[in-house]
Amino acid sequence: MASYPNYLEENAYVILSLSYQIGVFFSRSSLTLFKIKKVWIMTYLQIINFFIFLSVAISKWMPTEFQIPIMFFVGLMGGAS
């Protein structure tokens, strides 16, 4: 990435927001291809995502580079809902 070691931590909000928006874009772009009949499953997945990120916010146990794909998944779930 960049030449300084804390790039991900210093730009985490922007990077994670971008990951989320890319997930939402892909999810909403594919709604004509996939029909989701059991929306309640995504609701439960979002609840799990909430508790994962709540625990990360409280205890900071997950590095930013592992949060990026999870935030992309959150965007996929949010866009499909």
Side-chain angles (χ1 to χ4, degrees):
M1 287 236 158
S3 60
Y4 52 97
N6 294 329
Y7 181 80
L8 284 177
E9 286 77 20
E10 291 176 4
N11 297 297
Y13 180 78
V14 174
I15 293 168
L16 293 174
S17 296
L18 177 65
S19 300
Y20 174 80
Q21 292 301 328
I22 291 171
V24 169
F25 174 77
F26 281 124
S27 184
R28 289 187 181 172
S29 297
S30 64
L31 286 177
T32 57
L33 302 174
F34 302 103
K35 298 295 181 192
I36 300 170
K37 295 178 181 172
K38 296 182 180 180
V39 181
W40 61 269
I41 295 173
M42 290 187 300
T43 303
Y44 288 123
L45 290 173
Q46 285 290 60
I47 291 170
I48 293 168
N49 289 332
F50 169 76
F51 284 112
I52 289 171
F53 277 104
L54 178 66
S55 68
V56 169
I58 291 171
S59 63
K60 297 177 178 43
W61 61 272
M62 185 185 301
T64 307
E65 57 266 14
F66 295 127
Q67 294 177 32
I68 295 170
I70 297 173
M71 188 57 79
F72 176 77
F73 179 72
V74 170
L76 286 176
M77 295 296 104
S81 294

